[in-house]
Amino acid sequence: MKIRQVLIDNEPCIQIASSAGWVNVSGIVKQQPQLQSVASSVLNILSASPKERETLAEIAKTMSADNREVDNYLLPFQPLSYRDFMLYERHVIDSSRGFAKRFLPKVFPITKIFEKITGKPFPAFKPKPLWYKQPIYYMGNHLAFIPQGATIPYPDYCTALDYELELGFVLSKPLFNATPQEAEAAIGGFMVFNDVSVRNVQMAEMGSGFGPQKAKHFCNVLGCEVVTADEVLPIWQTLTGEVKINGKKVSEVSTQKPQFTLGEALAHVSRSERLFAGEFFGTGTLPGGCGMENGFLPQHNDQLELIIHGIGSVRNPISSTKS
C-alpha cells in the first residue's frame, strides 16, 4: 500500500493509491465508520493490522480518485525522533575522496598516487574499525523536516550545500532489546529521504568528537509518499534510484550491499533503549547519492529531485539567497 498526505483546498488530506489514482481516506471512512481511528493519521494506518489495511485497500479500489489539484505536499507524519545510519562502505570511501579533492587540495594528489599504485582505497577514506563491528548512526534534528516542494534553505555559513539520497523508514511498533527479526517486523513504512548537508563545516564538526552539528541540523526533506513495509522489506536491497538537478540526471544509486540489515541496525539501537512508534531512521546515503561523490553540488535556484524507484521522489528548489 502507498499512502500520502497532501493539502487540497486548504485541507489536509490522507490518500491511498489505487489503480484509478489517489483515493481520499475520508471517503473510505464514510463507508466504513469503524475505520475512523485507524485512518485518522498515516502512522495509524501503518500501525493497523494487515486485515484493517486490506479493508482500506479493497474499499479504495471501488472508489473514484480525487483529481483536484494538490495545493501543497505535507509531511506524512512528524517524526518523534530522527536517527541516521551509515550502512554503505562505498559511500564513505567515495565521499571521503570527494572531501579530499575539494577541501584538501595538497593532500588529494598523494591519495591519488597511493590508489593508483595499490589499486585500493586510501586508508583514511575507509570507515573506522567500529563501523565494521556495529551499526553506526547519529541523532539529528527531528523538528527540521520539510516536505516535497518546500524550499531548501541555504545557510549563511554555507559554501558547499549538498544532498544525500537515502531510504527512510519509520517504526509502527515499540522496540526494546529486540532481535533483528523483531526489529524488522516493527518497521511500518518506507519513503524517500534527503539528508541535506553543509560540507564546508562538516569536517571540522566531525573532528570535534561530538559529530555533525550545523552541517546537518538545519534541514531534512521527507517524501510525502509512504510505502508499507510488507511491500518493501522483501526487496529493499534491490532498489535503484537517481538524482536529477534541473531535470538532468547526474547520478544513479542502488540499495545493494549494506554492511548490516535494517533488522540488525534497529536491534542495535534498541539495546537497553526503548524505541517508539513514530521514530524515524535513514539508511545513510546510498552510494553515488550525494554531490561529494558524484561531483554535482546544487547551486542557488536549482531544482533538485531525488528518486527511489518503487518508493517515490522528493522535488525541492534550492533557495535563491543565503538565510
Side-chain angles (χ1 to χ4, degrees):
M1 175 185 289
K2 182 175 283 190
I3 316 159
R4 74 176 186 179
Q5 184 166 221
V6 295
L7 195 68
I8 299 179
D9 293 341
N10 292 317
E11 291 291 334
C13 185
I14 299 173
Q15 299 179 317
I16 293 175
S18 74
S19 58
W22 289 99
V23 173
N24 294 334
V25 169
S26 59
I28 298 175
V29 171
K30 287 181 180 179
Q31 291 193 26
Q32 297 284 342
Q34 70 271 23
L35 295 174
Q36 174 65 53
S37 61
V38 169
S40 60
S41 72
V42 173
L43 275 177
N44 280 356
I45 295 174
L46 297 177
S47 301
S49 69
K51 184 176 181 180
E52 289 171 323
R53 283 200 300 272
E54 183 179 350
T55 300
L56 286 171
E58 288 300 318
I59 298 175
K61 291 178 183 178
T62 68
M63 299 182 62
S64 299
D66 187 344
N67 295 318
R68 289 177 295 169
E69 184 176 350
V70 172
D71 299 329
N72 280 300
Y73 295 94
L74 302 176
L75 293 176
F77 53 87
Q78 178 61 56
L80 190 62
S81 72
Y82 159 48
R83 297 171 179 82
D84 203 6
F85 293 108
M86 189 166 66
L87 296 182
Y88 292 94
E89 182 185 44
R90 185 181 141 204
H91 161 68
V92 179
I93 293 170
D94 290 350
S95 61
S96 296
R97 187 180 294 115
F99 267 104
K101 183 177 181 179
R102 184 179 180 92
F103 298 111
L104 301 171
K106 294 183 178 180
V107 175
F108 182 63
I110 299 173
T111 69
K112 287 183 65 177
I113 293 171
F114 175 91
E115 293 188 335
K116 184 176 182 180
I117 292 174
T118 65
K120 299 179 180 179
F122 189 70
F125 294 164
K126 298 191 68 174
K128 298 295 189 289
L130 184 63
W131 183 89
Y132 296 94
K133 298 178 181 178
Q134 68 183 49
I136 299 297
Y137 64 94
Y138 79 93
M139 292 197 73
N141 183 2
H142 68 288
L143 298 177
F145 280 63
I146 63 172
Q148 173 173 306
T151 298
I152 295 175
Y154 208 105
D156 62 2
Y157 51 87
C158 177
T159 61
L161 188 72
D162 203 356
Y163 47 86
E164 298 195 53
L165 173 52
E166 305 187 18
L167 180 63
F169 53 102
V170 63
L171 292 183
S172 60
K173 300 175 184 177
L175 291 174
F176 183 67
N177 287 331
T179 66
Q181 293 75 23
E182 292 169 338
E184 189 174 277
I187 298 174
F190 291 82
M191 61 237 67
V192 178
F193 174 56
N194 179 7
D195 177 27
V196 187
S197 303
V198 176
R199 298 305 194 184
N200 54 287
V201 300
Q202 185 175 358
M203 288 183 66
E205 290 182 350
M206 298 295 283
S208 73
F210 266 50
Q213 299 135 53
K214 303 301 289 183
K216 296 281 190 178
H217 291 180
F218 67 102
C219 178
N220 289 298
V221 183
L222 190 60
C224 73
E225 298 178 2
V226 182
V227 183
T228 51
D230 59 299
E231 295 189 11
V232 181
L233 282 172
I235 60 169
W236 83 269
Q237 294 189 48
T238 66
L239 300 173
T240 59
E242 56 195 83
V243 176
K244 293 183 179 180
I245 298 179
N246 299 325
K248 179 183 178 182
K249 182 166 68 175
V250 299
S251 180
E252 296 182 346
V253 303
S254 167
T255 57
Q256 295 179 9
K257 299 181 179 180
Q259 178 69 10
F260 298 96
T261 68
L262 300 184
E264 290 169 338
L266 284 172
H268 172 70
V269 178
S270 79
R271 184 179 179 187
S272 296
E273 182 176 347
R274 295 190 183 278
L275 305 179
F276 300 90
E279 297 201 63
F280 176 79
F281 299 81
T283 56
T285 310
L286 306 181
C290 74
M292 278 291 102
E293 295 174 79
N294 59 47
F296 293 92
L297 292 175
Q299 306 300 316
H300 292 293
N301 292 316
D302 278 349
Q303 297 291 321
L304 179 64
E305 183 175 11
L306 307 183
I307 303 165
I308 298 179
H309 301 301
I311 304 297
S313 64
V314 290
R315 296 179 295 277
N316 299 83
I318 305 297
S319 175
S320 60
T321 60
K322 291 191 174 185
S323 58

